[in-house]
Amino acid sequence: MHNNNWLLWALLVAAIAGIFCGWFFGHSMLAIEWVGELFLDALKMVIIPLIVAAVISGIASLGGASGGLKRLGGLTVGYYFCTTAIAVLLGLIIVNIIQPGAGITEVSQVVPDRVSGKEETGFVEIIRSLIGDNIVASAAETKLLEVIVFSILFAAALTTVGERGKPLVAFFEGMNDVMIKIVVWIMYFAPIGIFALISSKLGDSGGGEHFWREILGVGKYMLTVIIGLTMHFFVLMTILLIVSRRGRQFIATMSKALITAFGTASSTATLPLTMECALEANVDKRAVKFVLPLGSTVNMDGTALYEAVAVMFIAQAYGIYMTPTDQVVIFITATLAAIGAAGIPEAGLVTMVIVLTAVGLPMEGIGLLLAVDWFLDRLRTTVNVWGDSVGSTVIERICFR
Ligand code: ASP
């Protein structure tokens, strides 16, 4: 595989320059918003064909034994569940120590538009999001989980039809390689895209001065989320070093996907790059093709941690005491809400409704978080993608090495 260290540096410079320009030039940076969107569209364009081809050819390469798929699937879901639970627990501990909501005097009285009418979101909806009644519509609407479940079923069936299935396996293998090639090409435009995305988003939110005022308002809350996410990042890094025994080179290679996650605020849009970087880091193909697509929609450690912190922050700001039992409910529902969140910008803000409703907190509380959410979203998306990347190496080590 090629070694694109220059690209990593270019992305870093682009991200820093994007923050700088967005901060100082504010709204005028909106002029290049379309460049960022073009980059985002290019990434989204390859998602569906890439995922279908990757999941099908990945499972087919397990050797036709359904036991292999069960083991891989079981371990992946189990691992993701554990790390998500660790993230929520970490969030709860930190928010109880720092108490960011204590001393907030002005609370909002209206339910933000974005979440009103979402009270019905719950456990049943999460289960139902696994199966779509029309696979073409699922693909057209980028309902990733539905597409993945269909691809898993397709691949499982494919492995049972023997010789007649071989041309199909070869077809999807070829298609996967072609899609990855396109991702490599798109990646060369990533620095320009990331610069445009970051600078126009920061500019849109009113530039540096405005952002600074927002930070002063809920700074302690932001700090709590940032401390939590940073700690979880290192928890994952420890897992990486101990379990998968990968080191600096892996982190450096994956950094390109991490910076893209920060730039796009979407684990789904970043997925093609995450897969390409993991292949570049020599992670086993079978792990990359199965673990990463699944992770991009169900494994969201950053979102889970953030939801726990945000809900407790709202309780503290409204002066509502959360008993230990309430916090157990938050623990369970935040884990589910993160699993149910789509890998798109600010999806976590919407699934947080599940947690708030479960412990009877006012939905109006979400209004407190809105102004700075676009920024925290980028940080949690980065941790989400990091969680998936580490997951692929852990599962690789357990199943394939
Ligand atoms: N934007 C996040 C992601 O794509 C989801 C969220 O927490 O809002 O991973």
Side-chain angles (χ1 to χ4, degrees):
M1 284 271 155
H2 40 272
N3 195 344
N4 283 332
N5 268 344
W6 67 267
L7 194 59
L8 173 59
W9 289 110
L11 277 168
L12 267 176
V13 171
I16 294 167
I19 294 173
F20 182 85
C21 291
W23 190 280
F24 290 106
F25 304 130
H27 282 293
S28 43
M29 291 316 290
L30 279 176
I32 56 162
E33 193 181 20
W34 66 273
V35 180
E37 279 167 6
L38 197 66
F39 170 63
L40 215 52
D41 287 345
L43 283 176
K44 288 185 188 162
M45 171 181 81
V46 292
I47 291 172
I48 293 293
L50 172 63
I51 286 191
V52 172
V55 173
I56 294 178
S57 63
I59 293 177
S61 68
L62 292 177
S66 67
L69 173 59
K70 266 190 222 146
R71 185 170 137 80
L72 178 64
L75 280 169
T76 306
V77 172
Y79 170 81
Y80 280 159
F81 205 78
C82 290
T83 49
T84 306
I86 294 173
V88 181
L89 200 64
L90 195 60
L92 281 175
I93 294 173
I94 293 167
V95 76
N96 274 296
I97 296 174
I98 302 184
Q99 298 274 336
I104 298 264
T105 44
E106 254 179 70
V107 289
S108 57
Q109 307 294 344
V110 282
V111 179
D113 283 352
R114 217 171 315 164
V115 292
S116 70
K118 302 276 181 199
E119 295 87 340
E120 299 305 316
T121 317
F123 188 62
V124 176
E125 276 63 34
I126 295 180
I127 302 284
R128 289 209 58 180
S129 70
L130 290 173
I131 311 250
D133 61 352
N134 178 343
I135 188 60
V136 178
S138 306
E141 289 161 23
T142 327
K143 292 190 170 160
L144 236 47
L145 210 48
E146 295 175 2
V147 175
I148 291 174
V149 170
F150 176 82
S151 306
I152 292 175
L153 286 174
F154 186 96
L158 189 57
T159 54
T160 65
V161 297
E163 278 301 312
R164 277 171 303 141
K166 291 232 166 93
L168 272 178
V169 176
F171 168 78
F172 284 112
E173 265 165 10
M175 180 149 137
N176 176 74
D177 293 352
V178 170
M179 296 323 292
I180 287 288
K181 191 79 208 171
I182 297 181
V183 177
V184 173
W185 291 340
I186 296 174
M187 230 155 121
Y188 292 123
F189 295 94
I192 298 173
I194 295 296
F195 170 76
L197 281 169
I198 295 180
S199 60
S200 61
K201 185 67 205 180
L202 184 57
D204 187 32
S205 78
E209 235 174 79
H210 186 263
F211 185 51
W212 190 241
R213 271 201 302 278
E214 301 289 359
I215 293 181
L216 291 181
V218 284
K220 213 167 160 195
Y221 156 69
M222 288 180 78
L223 198 69
T224 313
V225 176
I226 292 171
I227 292 176
L229 290 177
T230 311
M231 285 178 72
H232 191 69
F233 192 92
F234 285 107
V235 168
L236 291 168
M237 191 171 314
T238 312
I239 296 177
L240 175 85
L241 296 176
I242 295 175
V243 183
S244 74
R245 304 205 193 127
R246 282 175 181 274
R248 278 218 332 259
Q249 193 48 46
F250 179 77
I251 300 167
T253 309
M254 291 316 295
S255 298
K256 286 175 271 184
L258 299 185
I259 297 170
T260 308
F262 181 80
T264 60
S266 164
S267 353
T268 302
T270 311
L271 178 64
L273 279 186
T274 318
M275 291 174 74
E276 206 286 322
C277 290
L279 290 173
E280 195 182 317
N282 282 327
V283 179
D284 190 288
K285 262 187 178 179
R286 291 164 292 182
V288 171
K289 287 173 170 182
F290 182 80
V291 179
L292 288 178
L294 195 64
S296 78
T297 87
V298 302
N299 181 46
M300 303 214 174
D301 295 2
T303 303
L305 185 144
Y306 147 85
E307 296 212 4
V309 172
V311 167
M312 285 297 290
F313 168 72
I314 291 174
Q316 290 163 1
Y318 280 78
I320 303 170
Y321 176 65
M322 288 283 105
T323 63
T325 320
D326 286 332
Q327 298 206 27
V328 172
V329 175
I330 294 180
F331 173 76
I332 297 169
T333 49
T335 307
L336 289 177
I339 293 173
I344 55 173
E346 300 194 67
L349 203 63
V350 179
T351 59
M352 196 195 302
V353 171
I354 302 178
V355 192
L356 289 173
T357 324
V359 285
L361 287 171
M363 299 234 308
E364 288 82 348
I366 293 184
L368 285 173
L369 323 168
L370 281 183
V372 291
D373 196 64
W374 68 270
F375 179 70
L376 295 179
D377 187 19
R378 279 151 202 268
L379 297 179
R380 62 185 191 253
T381 308
T382 309
V383 174
N384 290 346
V385 171
W386 179 230
D388 300 340
S389 314
V390 173
S392 70
T393 68
V394 171
I395 299 299
E396 169 199 45
R397 171 109 198 134
I398 300 175
C399 290
F400 305 117
R401 292 255 152 123

